Amino acid sequence: MTTTVLPSYEDAVSRYEPVIGLETHVELGTATKMFCGCRTDFGAEPNTQVCPVCLALPGALPVANRAGIEATIRIGLALNCDIATWCRMARKNYFYPDMPKNFQTSQYDEPLCTDGYVDVEFDGKTYRIGIERVHLEEDTGKTLHVGGATGRIHGATESLVDYNRAGIPLVEIVTKPVPGLGALAPEVARAYVTELRDIIRSLGVSDVRMEQGSLRCDVNTSLNKPGEEWGTRTETKNVNSLRSVERAVRSEIIRQTSVLDEGGRIVQETRHFHEDRGDTSPGRSKETATDYRYFPEPDLVPIAPDPAWVAELKAALPERPSAKRARLSEEWGISAIDMQSVANAGAVELIEETIAAGASPAGARKWWMGELARRANETGVELADVGATPAQVAALQKLVDEGKLNDKLARTVLEGVVAGEGDPAEVMAARGLEVVSDTGALTAAVDEAIAANPDIAAKIRDGKVAAAGALVGAVMKTTRGQADAKSVRELILQRLS
Ligand SMILES: [Zn+2]
């Protein structure tokens, strides 16, 4: 058996041109399911949010959820799509145990939104990604394989099905094929999903959390030699982090290059991305549309959005995230690159709210992008869930501005806030962390330090002001860090002048 040596990425993209395409599923945050009144709460006990409609009991009839249709139209409008004036849902027929109807209610040749685009910025350049379609469908249930070591079906003793998720509205966003990106294809793919996530988040129609599966991405990749026709594409399924989007495209480019170099043929198939290894393995060979025997859903009336309503929804769209970032970077006085890291950290709204609660832009950004971002990273939670609110961060910064806390004490107070000990003022009082502002106590501490260090005091008297640092250190020690270093220094120089 020979071992294949994979080409380097640089080598691969110097000889082949990638064409990518992305299919993104977004779980909508509606209170109830798409075709019945069942709740959609995440993490509920299995099979407690089900009814005859989403379990597909005989005779049960679906009714479309207006909120799901409205959210889909708003997504389409935000992606510059045309909105259909009349369209139908369709049945996509296939068998899977977590899909009780044996078909998925979806859309086929009559999607709700078509022919849009989204402008994606990467490294100072703008790339326009075409949107083929945005359509509405429903999610499936979830199968759990238990009794085995891996949670996969192989080795499991039994499989359980939870239908809570069955029937939750899903929106599928399909790009047109994107050629011409060359070596930047992985990064632009990631930038696209990031932008899409930000746009959908700004609409408030989904929490778009990749790690919880409310945003899921399938990545299509093909390669061709310059000047030749596009190659056969593969579809890498359920890539569930932004970083993985980039890695999935990159690893597929390398793998396909290796196959083509050896005179092989790319098979149209779905592939699974392995987070741990950073590469893909084959799944099933890809069905074509005819395998699904699509036909119009006879139990649902056609969807015919009133153009006046669509115009209203369009007029009420929120500010585009890219325009908002440009405006805020100016208001906050930071560069576009710094603004991008704020956006990537999911901190834009948090910083905005902290400023609204009274903090300066620099003060607000410092805590969210520093201490709190580090903590979120370490504990693997979203920044918004880190345990501090914008109001608390603003209150903390206020205590610093008023001189009641220095930087070091403020960090300790923030720890207490995150640990649920209360608001900054409460934590400060409970833990006795306030800066010593009593001039009498501070003067006493300074005099004590001068008396204990006569040599240093003499140097300062001789004009060697730099030596004051050692005395500041001594005072900070006796006050357990609870003095304002700047005031201490001024006081020392004043006493020794
Ligand atoms: Zn139901």
Side-chain angles (χ1 to χ4, degrees), residues 74 168 185 481:
R74 292 181 68 224
I168 290 185

Side-chain angles (χ1 to χ4, degrees), residues 52-101:
V53 173
C54 54
L55 289 177
L57 301 189
L61 285 172
V63 177
N65 181 345
R66 181 187 166 101
I69 293 169
E70 177 173 324
T72 309
I73 293 175
R74 292 181 68 224
I75 292 173
L77 290 169
L79 301 178
N80 306 292
C81 289
D82 300 329
I83 308 302
T85 50
W86 192 93
C87 66
R88 283 176 299 186
M89 302 302 292
R91 290 188 179 187
K92 181 180 183 180
N93 296 283
Y94 65 105
F95 170 79
Y96 212 76
D98 59 18
M99 199 177 58
K101 296 192 287 193

